[in-house]
Amino acid sequence: MSVPAELGYTSEHEWVAINEGVATIGITAFAAEALGDIVFVEPPEVGSTVTAGEPCGEVESTKSVSEIYAPVNGEVVDVNRTAVEEPELVGTDPYGQGWLFKVELADEPADLLTPEQYTQLTEGEG
């Protein structure tokens, strides 16, 4: 399973890519595989404020519904409408076209896992 080295991760299986104060957020390949066929995505709304560790949206699959937890603090500045309209992208391309939303950071993110730490975490869950 791929765990891109340039990303940060959460124990709730979200990934974070930070570029010039904006965090792009999605769910990991591990989470997408565990969920199965993703049929519905509900990201937070543009303009809303998210708090690290708090639920801010949902991903629904044929197996279950899973909450999306904000990995950072800040204001949502963009939502991937393509992933909302084509939720299967979240499962088939979680680190590319399947990203979920972008947040303008209120502060530096704390407690993100390194790729090595995330790999170690998921080895016990697989």
Side-chain angles (χ1 to χ4, degrees), residues 14-76:
E14 288 85 20
W15 60 262
V16 181
I18 298 172
N19 185 14
E20 296 183 12
V22 175
T24 301
I25 297 158
I27 65 169
T28 66
F30 179 88
E33 186 176 305
L35 284 167
D37 293 331
I38 297 172
V39 296
F40 180 75
V41 174
E42 183 179 86
E45 293 184 22
V46 171
S48 64
T49 301
V50 296
T51 302
E54 296 293 319
C56 63
E58 289 184 345
V59 175
E60 185 177 328
S61 73
T62 54
K63 292 181 182 179
S64 67
V65 175
S66 183
E67 291 187 304
I68 302 166
Y69 290 88
V72 297
N73 298 316
E75 181 181 332
V76 178

Side-chain angles (χ1 to χ4, degrees), residues 5-125:
E6 69 277 8
L7 303 176
Y9 299 88
T10 71
S11 59
E12 297 293 336
H13 307 291
E14 288 85 20
W15 60 262
V16 181
I18 298 172
N19 185 14
E20 296 183 12
V22 175
T24 301
I25 297 158
I27 65 169
T28 66
F30 179 88
E33 186 176 305
L35 284 167
D37 293 331
I38 297 172
V39 296
F40 180 75
V41 174
E42 183 179 86
E45 293 184 22
V46 171
S48 64
T49 301
V50 296
T51 302
E54 296 293 319
C56 63
E58 289 184 345
V59 175
E60 185 177 328
S61 73
T62 54
K63 292 181 182 179
S64 67
V65 175
S66 183
E67 291 187 304
I68 302 166
Y69 290 88
V72 297
N73 298 316
E75 181 181 332
V76 178
V77 294
D78 194 10
V79 168
N80 185 353
R81 295 287 170 211
T82 304
V84 171
E85 293 168 11
E86 301 174 45
E88 64 275 6
L89 285 174
V90 176
T92 59
D93 191 12
Y95 302 114
Q97 293 181 16
W99 64 274
L100 298 174
F101 60 100
K102 295 184 180 188
V103 173
E104 185 173 332
L105 296 174
D107 50 30
E108 280 299 309
D111 302 328
L112 291 179
L113 303 174
T114 65
E116 296 77 19
Q117 291 169 321
Y118 184 72
T119 299
Q120 196 169 34
L121 172 77
T122 58
E123 283 175 351
E125 295 185 26

